[in-house]
Protein backbone atom coordinates (compact mmCIF):
# COMPACT_ATOMS: atom_id res chain seq x y z
CA UNK A 1 0.00 0.00 0.00
CA UNK A 2 2.83 2.41 0.83
CA UNK A 3 4.43 1.81 -2.57
CA UNK A 4 1.14 2.77 -4.26
CA UNK A 5 0.79 5.77 -1.93
CA UNK A 6 4.30 6.94 -2.79
CA UNK A 7 3.59 6.48 -6.51
CA UNK A 8 0.48 8.62 -5.90
CA UNK A 9 -1.62 5.85 -7.42
CA UNK A 10 -4.89 6.19 -5.51
CA UNK A 11 -6.57 3.55 -7.67
CA UNK A 12 -3.98 0.87 -6.86
CA UNK A 13 -3.97 1.90 -3.18
CA UNK A 14 -7.73 1.51 -2.75
CA UNK A 15 -7.75 -1.74 -4.75
CA UNK A 16 -6.12 -3.22 -1.63
CA UNK A 17 -9.01 -2.06 0.57
CA UNK A 18 -12.45 -3.46 1.38
CA UNK A 19 -15.42 -1.63 -0.17
CA UNK A 20 -16.37 -0.13 3.20
CA UNK A 21 -12.82 0.67 4.34
CA UNK A 22 -12.03 4.02 5.92
CA UNK A 23 -9.20 6.21 7.11
CA UNK A 24 -9.57 7.95 10.46
CA UNK A 25 -7.82 9.69 13.28
CA UNK A 26 -6.86 7.26 16.04
CA UNK A 27 -10.05 6.53 18.01
CA UNK A 28 -11.55 9.53 16.30
CA UNK A 29 -13.46 10.83 13.35
CA UNK A 30 -13.40 9.14 9.96
CA UNK A 31 -11.69 11.42 7.43
CA UNK A 32 -12.12 9.25 4.31
CA UNK A 33 -15.07 6.87 4.17
CA UNK A 34 -15.33 3.87 1.87
CA UNK A 35 -13.12 2.91 -1.01
CA UNK A 36 -14.48 5.75 -3.16
CA UNK A 37 -14.14 8.34 -0.39
CA UNK A 38 -10.56 7.25 0.19
CA UNK A 39 -9.78 7.41 -3.54
CA UNK A 40 -11.25 10.92 -3.84
CA UNK A 41 -9.45 12.14 -0.71
CA UNK A 42 -6.11 10.78 -1.83
CA UNK A 43 -6.45 12.23 -5.34
CA UNK A 44 -7.21 15.66 -3.85
CA UNK A 45 -4.23 15.42 -1.48
CA UNK A 46 -1.88 14.28 -4.27
CA UNK A 47 -3.04 17.20 -6.43
CA UNK A 48 -2.30 19.61 -3.56
CA UNK A 49 1.02 17.97 -2.65
CA UNK A 50 2.54 16.49 -5.84
CA UNK A 51 5.80 15.61 -4.04
CA UNK A 52 4.04 13.85 -1.14
CA UNK A 53 5.57 10.59 0.08
CA UNK A 54 5.85 8.50 3.24
CA UNK A 55 8.99 6.69 4.39
CA UNK A 56 8.58 3.75 6.76
CA UNK A 57 10.79 4.23 9.82
CA UNK A 58 9.79 0.91 11.36
CA UNK A 59 6.86 -1.47 11.26
CA UNK A 60 5.20 -4.28 13.15
CA UNK A 61 2.65 -6.91 12.20
CA UNK A 62 0.50 -8.95 14.54
CA UNK A 63 -2.40 -11.03 13.28
CA UNK A 64 -4.63 -8.85 11.11
CA UNK A 65 -2.88 -5.61 12.09
CA UNK A 66 0.14 -3.70 10.86
CA UNK A 67 1.53 -0.66 12.67
CA UNK A 68 3.89 1.61 10.78
CA UNK A 69 5.93 4.53 12.07
CA UNK A 70 6.03 6.79 9.02
CA UNK A 71 7.84 10.02 8.19
CA UNK A 72 5.71 12.01 5.75
CA UNK A 73 7.13 14.56 3.34
CA UNK A 74 4.70 16.96 1.65
CA UNK A 75 7.40 18.70 -0.44
CA UNK A 76 11.15 19.12 -0.65
CA UNK A 77 10.92 22.45 1.20
CA UNK A 78 8.36 21.47 3.88
CA UNK A 79 9.34 20.06 7.25
CA UNK A 80 8.40 16.35 7.39
CA UNK A 81 6.07 15.10 10.11
CA UNK A 82 5.77 11.72 11.79
CA UNK A 83 2.74 9.53 12.16
CA UNK A 84 1.89 6.09 13.49
CA UNK A 85 -0.48 4.33 11.11
CA UNK A 86 -2.51 1.35 12.27
CA UNK A 87 -3.76 -0.82 9.41
CA UNK A 88 -6.54 -3.34 10.13
CA UNK A 89 -7.05 -6.19 7.68
CA UNK A 90 -9.90 -8.53 6.83
CA UNK A 91 -8.21 -11.34 4.95
CA UNK A 92 -5.92 -9.77 2.37
CA UNK A 93 -7.78 -6.41 2.23
CA UNK A 94 -7.30 -3.38 4.45
CA UNK A 95 -10.53 -2.41 6.22
CA UNK A 96 -9.37 0.59 8.26
CA UNK A 97 -6.37 2.86 8.68
CA UNK A 98 -6.05 5.00 11.81
CA UNK A 99 -3.47 7.75 12.18
CA UNK A 100 -1.81 8.84 15.41
CA UNK A 101 -0.18 12.27 15.13
Amino acid sequence: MIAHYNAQDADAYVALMTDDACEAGYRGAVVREGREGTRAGLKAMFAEFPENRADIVTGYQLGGYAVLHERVFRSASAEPFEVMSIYSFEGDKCSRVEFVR
Side-chain angles (χ1 to χ4, degrees):
M1 289 183 79
I2 296 297
H4 296 312
Y5 178 89
N6 285 340
Q8 296 197 1
D9 188 343
D11 295 323
Y13 181 92
V14 301
L16 300 174
M17 301 181 93
T18 62
D19 289 337
D20 62 347
C22 68
E23 293 187 333
Y26 179 67
R27 301 177 77 183
V30 171
V31 294
R32 296 182 185 122
E33 191 160 355
R35 188 183 283 178
E36 293 311 312
T38 301
R39 180 191 330 270
L42 288 175
K43 286 187 176 199
M45 184 186 64
F46 295 152
E48 183 177 355
F49 302 106
E51 298 177 51
N52 187 81
R53 76 173 200 284
D55 293 344
I56 298 172
V57 176
T58 191
Y60 303 94
Q61 185 270 327
L62 180 64
Y65 301 93
V67 178
L68 301 179
H69 173 191
E70 302 174 24
R71 186 168 294 119
V72 180
F73 299 83
R74 294 290 193 214
S75 71
S77 61
E79 190 69 28
F81 62 91
E82 301 202 12
V83 63
M84 294 295 289
S85 301
I86 304 160
Y87 295 79
S88 301
F89 288 85
E90 294 176 9
D92 63 348
K93 299 282 185 178
C94 182
S95 60
R96 185 175 180 92
V97 185
E98 292 187 82
F99 301 103
V100 179
R101 282 185 67 177

